[in-house]
Amino acid sequence: MVKLSEAGKKALDALVAETQAEKKIPGFAIAVSNLDEQLYVSAGGYKAYDDPSSGPISPDTVFWICSMSKLITSIAGLQLIEQGKISFDDPIHKYIPQLKNAVIIEGGSHRPVTIHPTIGNLFSHSSGLSYFSFFPDPIYGLPANYLFDQSELGTREAAHDKFLEVTKGPYPGIPLINKPGTFSYGFSSDVLGIIIEKITGKSLIEYTEENIFKPIGIQTTFNLNADLKDGLMELSFRNSDRSISRWDNQLKLIERYPREVLFALGGMGAYSTIPDYLTLLRHLLRIEAGIQVANPVLKQETVKGLFKPQLSNEGASPLTGMFKMMEASNPNYEDLNFSTGVAITTKDWPGLRKANSGFWSGWAGLNYVMDPTTGIALIAGTQIVPTMDLGALELWNKMEAIVYANLET
């Protein structure tokens, strides 16, 4: 069993102090776990940027985890796969008829789909559903189908229909940017969430609470309420001159408390403390390793699938290209793939995560890695937009390097 050395803990303490003193990012938290226990957790800054009166960030601070919600939705969907309620091979339009008339968009034209995307394509983000079928205004904002007012619609089903209507946009059918089997980052998890709600008859809020969060014993949730809102870190905004401003509604956000949320977004809508999300990652790593856990949320075979590539080399190439574009200075983004829930490294990263590690990030400055070979998970989070903030990435990269340089048996 690997441990984090005392020198490693001191180095992380120094990183926290340095990050807090430099104020390159707003408040933040970091945490590390092995298969048995949380090895380290710390935090710095304030719940509102540079405002001591807002209170300090602590391990109990709640973060909007954004696209780290996708793993949770995948776990929920994989439970339905295990139960035989859905199949990887089912066409999506079996459950969502609006997808039957989907179109492939190419340049300024479009054509009907000839091969329909499947449930399996939703898990591997290769359905063709994309954030980039048309662009938000401003370009770094959230897409329109994340932003409509749900409170006037009355029912969850009406919110589903509105989401799909806005996703369709100006096209004669819901647009796909790639043929099924090719990575296309976008609305796959949200559509999977709709299917989960249709199959179970429960909201994603209710289903995940009953079948994931309570069994594991964490407070992660799709339901931001008054109590959680009090513990939520505020967003901050990175200006074009690299300065940071406190949040002043610079961008429109997803529907959330105190507004009524009829349809929780499976790709964007969850909230968690950093240690609670780390507990979820540790739970999965323990199952993968064959270690007994109380109330396992998935079977070992299913969890092992989370660390196995699902895409062909050709189908995965847009994933590699996306990360190379977003973080061009990182030489390790080569030959990435996607599993049934996370991006996968297919090679060891020198001095860092090993091959077959699962990883992803959150729109507002969060990152995590699950490394089943080494037996560790790590997570770092802040709350700053636009996404892929260089300050947040700097914290993450320094943290990962420190952790891997200071592991001992």
Side-chain angles (χ1 to χ4, degrees), residues 198-225:
K198 286 178 176 287
I199 293 295
T200 64
K202 297 179 179 180
S203 71
L204 194 63
I205 293 170
E206 295 167 331
Y207 181 86
T208 53
E209 183 73 21
E210 294 172 11
N211 295 280
I212 300 176
F213 306 139
K214 281 186 177 178
I216 295 176
I218 56 179
Q219 300 300 310
T220 305
T221 182
F222 282 90
N223 182 30
L224 183 65
N225 55 33

Side-chain angles (χ1 to χ4, degrees), residues 105-351:
I105 56 174
E106 299 171 320
S109 63
H110 55 81
R111 58 180 172 81
V113 294
T114 55
I115 301 175
H116 290 280
T118 64
I119 296 287
N121 295 137
L122 295 178
F123 285 96
S124 59
H125 291 272
S126 61
S127 65
L129 292 161
S130 173
Y131 290 140
F132 311 115
S133 52
F134 40 93
F135 293 100
D137 183 21
I139 192 67
Y140 49 78
L142 293 174
N145 58 354
Y146 279 178
L147 305 177
F148 64 87
D149 184 357
Q150 297 187 21
S151 60
E152 298 178 354
L153 297 173
T155 67
R156 188 164 67 241
E157 292 74 16
H160 292 168
D161 291 343
K162 182 67 174 180
F163 174 87
L164 295 166
E165 175 191 333
V166 180
T167 305
K168 179 181 172 183
Y171 297 100
I174 290 175
L176 312 178
I177 67 164
N178 291 316
K179 64 182 180 182
T182 301
F183 180 82
S184 49
Y185 192 45
F187 307 111
S188 289
S189 294
D190 308 294
V191 170
L192 180 58
I194 292 174
I195 292 172
I196 291 166
E197 293 189 334
K198 286 178 176 287
I199 293 295
T200 64
K202 297 179 179 180
S203 71
L204 194 63
I205 293 170
E206 295 167 331
Y207 181 86
T208 53
E209 183 73 21
E210 294 172 11
N211 295 280
I212 300 176
F213 306 139
K214 281 186 177 178
I216 295 176
I218 56 179
Q219 300 300 310
T220 305
T221 182
F222 282 90
N223 182 30
L224 183 65
N225 55 33
D227 290 339
L228 288 178
K229 184 69 166 61
D230 287 343
L232 184 69
M233 181 184 170
E234 289 188 14
L235 287 170
S236 296
F237 189 82
R238 179 77 71 182
N239 301 301
S240 59
D241 64 359
R242 304 300 304 154
S243 64
I244 300 173
S245 293
R246 290 191 57 186
W247 189 247
D248 190 27
N249 299 312
Q250 289 93 337
L251 297 172
K252 189 173 180 181
L253 304 179
I254 66 171
E255 200 89 339
R256 62 195 221 173
Y257 179 86
R259 300 191 301 271
E260 184 179 11
V261 177
L262 297 169
F263 164 44
L265 295 165
M268 195 70 174
Y271 304 85
S272 182
T273 68
I274 296 301
D276 273 350
Y277 199 90
L278 186 72
T279 299
L280 170 66
L281 301 182
R282 181 170 61 249
H283 182 88
L284 295 173
L285 285 175
R286 286 176 64 85
I287 294 173
E288 192 278 339
I291 300 172
Q292 185 174 359
V293 298
N295 306 314
V297 296
L298 292 170
K299 299 175 182 177
Q300 184 184 26
E301 180 183 3
T302 304
V303 175
K304 284 186 174 295
L306 284 172
F307 302 96
K308 292 180 179 178
Q310 295 295 308
L311 304 178
S312 67
N313 290 338
E314 179 184 4
S317 61
L319 171 64
T320 300
M322 182 180 79
F323 273 95
K324 283 185 174 182
M325 178 183 68
M326 292 191 299
E327 197 177 349
S329 62
N330 190 331
N332 294 306
Y333 287 123
E334 296 286 346
D335 302 321
L336 302 178
N337 210 294
F338 213 92
S339 72
T340 51
V342 290
I344 296 292
T345 55
T346 61
K347 300 175 181 177
D348 288 355
W349 290 16

Side-chain angles (χ1 to χ4, degrees), residues 37-59:
E37 61 184 351
Q38 180 176 279
L39 301 175
Y40 183 89
V41 63
S42 189
Y46 304 105
K47 290 179 184 176
Y49 176 64
D50 208 20
D51 179 9
S53 68
S54 67
I57 298 295
S58 76

